[in-house]
Every structure is written in C-alpha cells, then in structure tokens.
Amino acid sequence: FLGAGGGNDIQWCFSQVKGAVDDDVAEADIISTVEFNHSGELLATGDKGGRVVIFQQEQENKTQSHSRGEYNVYSTFQSHEPEFDYLKSLEIEEKINKIRWLPQKNAAQFLLSTNDKTIKLWKISERDKRPEGYNLKEEDGRYRDPTTVTTLRVPVFRPMDLMVEASPRRIFANAHTYHINSISINSDYETYLSADDLRINLWHLEITDRSFNIVDIKPANMEELTEVITAAEFHPNSCNTFVYSSSKGTIRLCDMRASALCDRHSKLFEEPEDPSNRSFFSEIISSISDVKFSHSGRYMMTRDYLSVKIWDLNMENRPVETYQVHEYLRSKLCSLYENDCIFDKFECCWNGSDRQVIFNLTIPFFLPLPYSIVMTGSYNNFFRMFDRNTKRDITLEASRENNKPRTVLKPRKVCASGKRKKDEISVDSLDFNKKILHTAWHPKENIIAVATTNNLYIFQDKMN
Amino acid sequence: QDTQEKEMVPPERAEEAKLKAKYPNLGQKPGGSDFLMKRLQKGQKYFDSGDYNMAKAKMKNKQLPSAGPDKNLVTGDHIPTPQDLPQRKSSLVTSKLAG
C-alpha cells in the first residue's frame, strides 16, 4: 500500500480539523459538499442548514518550510433557506447539494451553489478601503445638521480591516420539477448545466429567466419509470460534450451539436452484468452516485456502492479499471438495505493533475511522470485511495485521535472474515453512521479535504 | 450435497434470501420503481383543505384531529393541521465549521 516507502508514495499527515467536537450532531451541521477552487487557495463547504463556509489558505510562511499554509475561515453566509411550495405542497430543503467554483476573472471570486430546486451565483469580494470625510455625514453615519457645514472637502479612501462580503448575483429558479443532484460549469465559462432526477438544463451564467432543456428522460406514463439521472458533468475541454449517469449503472455521453434535445446519446457506457449474479440488490448497488472526468478528459471515473470504475471514453463496453472500495459489505447487504445505508451516495475525486513533476532518484532530472490517484470515502470514517500506476491502495481514517501534525497516518485494515489480526477492525465493528461521502483534492498540491458527518479534516503529504 | 450448495451461493444471493425471509411481501421487481417513486416524491406533503374545514366545522368545540405521536410525519392518511407542519427553521445560526 501507499506510504510504505518508495520515492513516489505519498505519506499523509494530519493538518487541521474544523467543526464541533461533541458527538451530538445537529442536522444543520451535516456537511453536504466540499470543493476547492481552481487555484486551491479557497476551500468551500456546504451543509444541510443551507450555509456555506469558505476557508482560505494562508500565504506560505518562509520560516515554516515544513508545512504548507493552514486554512482559516474566510467567509461564511446563508446560501439557501428552507421553503414551502404551496402550489405543489412540497417542502424544499435548504441543504446545499453542490458547490462549483468559477475560474477567477477579476479580484472577486464566484461560485455556484444549489439546493434541490434553486441555483445561486454568489460573488465573494474583499473590501479593505472605505471612504472617509463625507461632508453631510459624521464618521458614525449620522447626518450632520446642514447649517453647520461651512466648508467642502473631498472624501478619500482610507485603509480598513479586511471585510469579506458575499452577495447573491444571480438566482436561477423554477426550472426543475425534480431534485437537483448536479451542477457543472462548461469549459466555455459562459454556460453551465443543472441536472435533476429526470431532466438536465443548460443555463447561461448571465441569464436567469431562461434555461434550455437538453435531456429529458421522463416517461409519458410515470408507471413506466425505470431509471433516474444520478449525476452529470461537462467535459473539461470539449464545450459541446457532457455525460450523465443513471440509477441503473449506465453512463451516457451526449454531444450538444447533434441536436437541441440530447435524449439520444452519442455513447452509452455499461458493463455487462453476469446474469447468474443477479439479485434483488444488483440494481441498487450498481446505481452510480458520482461521475468525474479526468483532467485530460480522456477518462472518467464513476462511483457505485461498492466500487470505483475508470472508463476510457473510447471504450463503451466495460471500464478499463475497477477498484473495490469495501467488498466485504457484499455479505452485509441485507442489513445495509434495512438501515438505508445501501442508498448512501459516495463521491469520488481525482488527484490534482494527471501528471506531476516528481524528483525520481533513478532519473537525473525532473520529468512530468504519469501520476494518477483516485480517492473515495467509506464507513467508520475511513477513506480509500487507489494509485492507478502502482496499483497500490490504502485505507486511512479521519479521526481526532490521529491529530498530531506531521505524524504520518497509520493505514487501516478491515478484517472481512476469519481470525482478526491485531490492529484490524472486523466488519461487524464498523460504525455505519460515520460515513465519508465527500472528499476533495487540492488542484496543485497534495492536500486533501475529507468531510466526516460534521467535521472537515485537512491532510497533507509529509514534506521532507 | 446441501452443504456444498450453500458454499457455492454468492454472498449477494444469500443476503437476498435473508431479506426475503424477513419481508416475504417485498416487491417482485428488484430495486424497482417503488424506490424510484419514493425518491421523486421526497418533500411532498399532503393537505386537503376541504376535509380540514369539514372536520373543523363538525368538531366546533372539540380538539381538531392532529398527527400521531410522530409530529414530524405528515402523510395523506389523516388530516394534517397547521400545528403539525414543521416550523420554518431559524437561519441565523452560524455554522460550527466557522467557529
């Protein structure tokens, strides 16, 4: 497994943990999404209470060369509120399902956040100057008696303590009958898609009163419904291409140049099922909970209940790689169905870039070597990483017991059956209430953000 | 021969048998559209203003019918009343992540 040595293996160390220590978790504090921005300087989280918290990485301290900057709170705001649609008698949760950052174009930062029904574009801007020396107002804002004004002066900007303000710039509402599960910004940086259970819409970031429907899988007769959309994402480079995954374990790639309504896919990715293995659970565990393109756009990764699969866009009939996240759960499906855990939606992510400059001792100069690692969460606050080049994998735990900075995290092992070795954990001892559904990888460095139910952990590799 | 067959049963099938033993009336369609429909109907609350007003008129002096022990569960089986609907939550509490 990773961390056992070798020039290129990452040694993960605890860096920070955010959130309350107590075990009594308020519903609103449940973290529902985690996302780094394009530079990695900002890290956003969304929660069930509709709030967004943004952390900013400290500038690197030249004297503290052993660790990268810490993440501190930069801004926090209420993105969505609970609503009740009286016309449809529908309660709308304020839970933030997804946050996606726009690439930075000017001094301000922009992000899209969405709940089940409404997407909002938020502008986060800094204010470090304020005008002083008004003629008609005192410094505290009270209006002066105009008769006391005898001279005129020009107000000037003076420095002030940094204030970070978040304001909603666009509200994209009323376009989804069903519950939004994904948003994805196009590589043209002008449009984005939003996907619900049955439909996908295309928006222009500047236009809130119009949206184009590009996928509609709602059957004429709802009793014929067999599959729903579970995730969708734009291709990182081709602005005409996007994919969406389904509850039946299929992924469809669509090309918007082909037609206005992309109900007919250009490619259908599906692994053939072994009919002898089919059971009541087969379809449920094949449901894809997340789909992510690789940075090059050549591959895509999908997460279903028990595994992570890597697909080559040029090959539709099966994935090129399959990694088992927690295969030992296959013999626990009955109880996982009864406690609803079988419906948990785990996300997955790629490491920061497909290639990295690594100092390799066997080659006397720096080379960008293929460096591809995927990460996903599991139960008992465990998370898993799979190195696609070395084929090694590791299981780590997000726990406050491991919180000594610069101490390498100890790999974990689950004992599926038989005699349990020392330091192993048996499947029956796993805590299924401690789930890691959301993880994120810094776009440029080996820094990861891992969300447990209500805490955010930041780990980084041990810098020598 | 029985023990041999047991060893050959894939874990998923064994789990399925366990589930069917506990819930014999479980739907025939594996995973099927029952759970999909439930997913689509998340958040749906039911209220019939006609029934509510009729009940109010009939029971002028008595207490209005209300939800069962679980006040948070409002379904179409009985008449929900305004006092049963969950209150809109306060949105002024800051996230503990920012604390």
Side-chain angles (χ1 to χ4, degrees):
Chain A
F1 45 79
L2 294 175
N8 299 342
D9 285 347
I10 304 174
Q11 296 186 292
W12 292 103
C13 305
F14 170 86
S15 174
Q16 297 172 271
V17 61
K18 308 279 183 193
V21 184
D22 56 76
D23 279 338
D24 194 16
V25 182
E27 280 238 352
D29 291 324
I30 296 173
I31 299 172
S32 49
T33 184
V34 182
E35 189 83 355
F36 280 101
N37 75 335
H38 293 259
S39 66
E41 186 204 353
L42 298 178
L43 175 59
T45 59
D47 66 21
K48 215 168 176 216
R51 302 161 304 187
V52 171
V53 182
I54 300 173
F55 302 92
Q56 182 188 42
Q57 192 178 27
E58 262 173 12
Q59 290 304 306
E60 254 175 68
N61 193 329
K62 298 250 157 47
T63 59
Q64 283 188 306
S65 56
H66 52 253
S67 69
R68 297 180 187 82
E70 280 202 340
Y71 282 84
N72 301 315
V73 179
Y74 178 67
S75 172
T76 177
F77 55 93
Q78 186 77 36
S79 172
H80 288 71
E81 302 251 7
E83 287 176 65
F84 195 87
D85 181 337
Y86 294 99
L87 208 57
K88 296 182 186 167
S89 205
L90 191 68
E91 193 172 54
I92 301 166
E93 258 195 308
E94 67 275 36
K95 171 166 79 83
I96 308 296
N97 293 332
K98 286 279 164 18
I99 288 173
R100 290 286 181 263
W101 288 93
L102 266 71
Q104 193 173 9
K105 282 195 286 194
N106 53 39
Q109 300 277 357
F110 289 86
L111 60 79
L112 284 177
S113 70
T114 187
N115 70 348
D116 282 339
K117 297 287 179 180
T118 304
I119 306 126
K120 296 188 184 180
L121 176 70
W122 287 88
K123 176 180 178 181
I124 297 111
S125 48
E126 293 184 0
R127 192 197 291 258
D128 61 359
K129 298 184 264 296
R130 64 154 180 243
E132 284 177 20
Y134 282 101
N135 292 290
L136 298 176
K137 278 198 285 192
E138 304 285 5
E139 292 307 327
D140 63 8
R142 279 179 305 144
Y143 281 95
R144 290 170 67 183
D145 177 357
T147 58
T148 65
V149 179
T150 53
T151 58
L152 278 182
R153 58 186 170 170
V154 178
V156 291
F157 276 100
R158 291 256 142 78
M160 63 179 254
D161 285 340
L162 179 67
M163 206 165 75
V164 182
E165 302 169 315
S167 59
R169 304 305 283 178
R170 307 266 187 279
I171 298 186
F172 304 91
N174 302 321
H176 286 278
T177 306
Y178 302 99
H179 300 100
I180 297 173
N181 52 58
S182 313
I183 46 175
S184 177
I185 298 169
N186 205 346
S187 52
D188 65 10
Y189 300 146
E190 283 189 348
T191 58
Y192 74 94
L193 64 75
S194 57
D196 67 34
D197 294 311
L198 297 178
R199 298 192 176 104
I200 303 179
N201 293 329
L202 181 71
W203 302 83
H204 191 285
L205 285 163
E206 302 285 330
I207 299 168
T208 57
D209 62 357
R210 246 175 308 156
S211 164
F212 289 101
N213 177 242
I214 52 177
V215 172
D216 187 338
I217 64 166
K218 184 177 177 195
N221 181 355
M222 280 300 268
E223 309 217 331
E224 288 164 26
L225 179 73
T226 54
E227 124 181 84
V228 296
I229 297 168
T230 52
E233 190 174 68
F234 264 119
H235 191 276
N237 307 318
S238 301
C239 57
N240 50 276
T241 306
F242 66 92
V243 293
Y244 69 92
S245 58
S246 84
S247 53
K248 277 188 160 175
T250 65
I251 309 103
R252 287 173 175 80
L253 183 140
C254 301
D255 185 333
M256 295 194 289
R257 295 169 300 187
S259 68
L261 194 58
C262 297
D263 282 355
R264 291 173 63 179
H265 52 264
S266 300
K267 293 196 188 197
L268 173 66
F269 299 84
E270 188 172 15
E271 184 166 24
E273 195 191 15
D274 179 0
S276 65
N277 275 341
R278 189 156 179 82
S279 74
F280 174 84
F281 304 111
S282 302
E283 193 176 301
I284 301 174
I285 63 172
S286 73
S287 177
I288 292 171
S289 48
D290 196 13
V291 63
K292 293 263 173 45
F293 276 105
S294 70
H295 303 289
S296 63
R298 163 91 192 267
Y299 298 96
M300 66 180 173
M301 162 166 59
T302 57
R303 176 68 156 99
D304 51 73
Y305 190 61
L306 297 178
S307 67
V308 162
K309 295 180 178 168
I310 310 291
W311 304 78
D312 183 327
L313 289 198
N314 298 318
M315 188 161 76
E316 298 168 61
N317 61 354
R318 60 181 169 80
V320 289
E321 293 152 38
T322 300
Y323 300 102
Q324 301 300 337
V325 182
H326 36 218
E327 179 66 15
Y328 46 78
L329 295 184
R330 202 179 288 269
S331 44
K332 299 286 167 199
L333 292 178
C334 180
S335 42
L336 292 167
Y337 179 87
E338 289 179 288
N339 62 20
D340 270 355
C341 285
I342 206 175
F343 300 106
D344 284 337
K345 297 181 176 57
F346 291 95
E347 291 175 6
C348 53
C349 66
W350 296 84
N351 68 322
S353 65
D354 291 346
R355 284 175 181 268
Q356 202 144 316
V357 174
I358 295 164
F359 183 56
N360 183 313
L361 290 170
T362 62
I363 300 167
F365 46 91
F366 290 94
L367 261 194
L369 296 172
Y371 193 66
S372 185
I373 307 175
V374 298
M375 168 167 67
T376 190
S378 179
Y379 294 104
N380 211 68
N381 282 348
F382 288 171
F383 59 101
R384 304 262 286 135
M385 290 191 194
F386 303 92
D387 185 320
R388 295 180 58 225
N389 298 115
T390 64
K391 298 300 179 209
R392 290 204 287 262
D393 63 84
I394 194 169
T395 304
L396 297 171
E397 183 180 358
S399 144
R400 283 173 186 271
E401 285 165 21
N402 305 332
N403 60 0
K404 270 197 231 157
R406 292 193 302 286
T407 306
V408 178
L409 292 180
K410 190 174 138 187
R412 298 285 175 218
K413 188 128 168 61
V414 177
C415 168
S417 60
K419 199 152 181 250
R420 188 178 72 87
K421 296 193 195 113
K422 179 179 179 265
D423 285 350
E424 283 186 356
I425 297 161
S426 82
V427 185
D428 295 313
S429 314
L430 295 175
D431 188 340
F432 290 98
N433 289 318
K434 293 190 174 167
K435 17 193 141 194
I436 290 177
L437 304 174
H438 313 286
T439 61
W441 203 305
H442 190 291
K444 298 185 166 58
E445 312 198 33
N446 284 332
I447 300 174
I448 55 176
V450 174
T452 59
T453 307
N454 64 330
N455 283 178
L456 182 71
Y457 286 80
I458 298 170
F459 301 103
Q460 43 177 274
D461 74 7
K462 189 187 179 95
M463 288 174 87
N464 297 311
Chain B
Q1 202 187 0
D2 264 353
T3 32
Q4 221 179 14
E5 273 174 19
K6 265 194 195 143
E7 278 165 12
M8 305 270 284
V9 174
E12 241 177 85
R13 282 283 178 80
E15 291 296 299
E16 182 182 34
K18 250 194 253 178
L19 194 68
K20 291 237 161 108
K22 276 194 190 180
Y23 309 101
N25 295 325
L26 202 56
Q28 294 310 303
K29 268 184 283 189
S33 49
D34 279 347
F35 100 86
L36 287 183
M37 289 306 286
K38 224 172 71 168
R39 177 188 173 134
L40 295 183
Q41 282 179 352
K42 171 190 148 193
Q44 194 77 57
K45 304 280 180 234
Y46 295 99
F47 178 77
D48 188 319
S49 61
D51 281 350
Y52 176 70
N53 286 305
M54 291 281 282
K56 231 167 86 169
K58 274 190 203 163
M59 306 185 196
K60 266 190 285 192
N61 297 321
K62 293 192 214 152
Q63 253 221 322
L64 287 168
S66 65
D70 182 4
K71 286 221 166 218
N72 289 325
L73 189 64
V74 178
T75 70
D77 280 350
H78 67 274
I79 304 161
T81 55
Q83 55 263 36
D84 297 336
L85 286 175
Q87 293 295 316
R88 265 199 54 166
K89 291 152 264 190
S90 159
S91 54
L92 299 174
V93 183
T94 312
S95 163
K96 295 200 179 110
L97 288 184

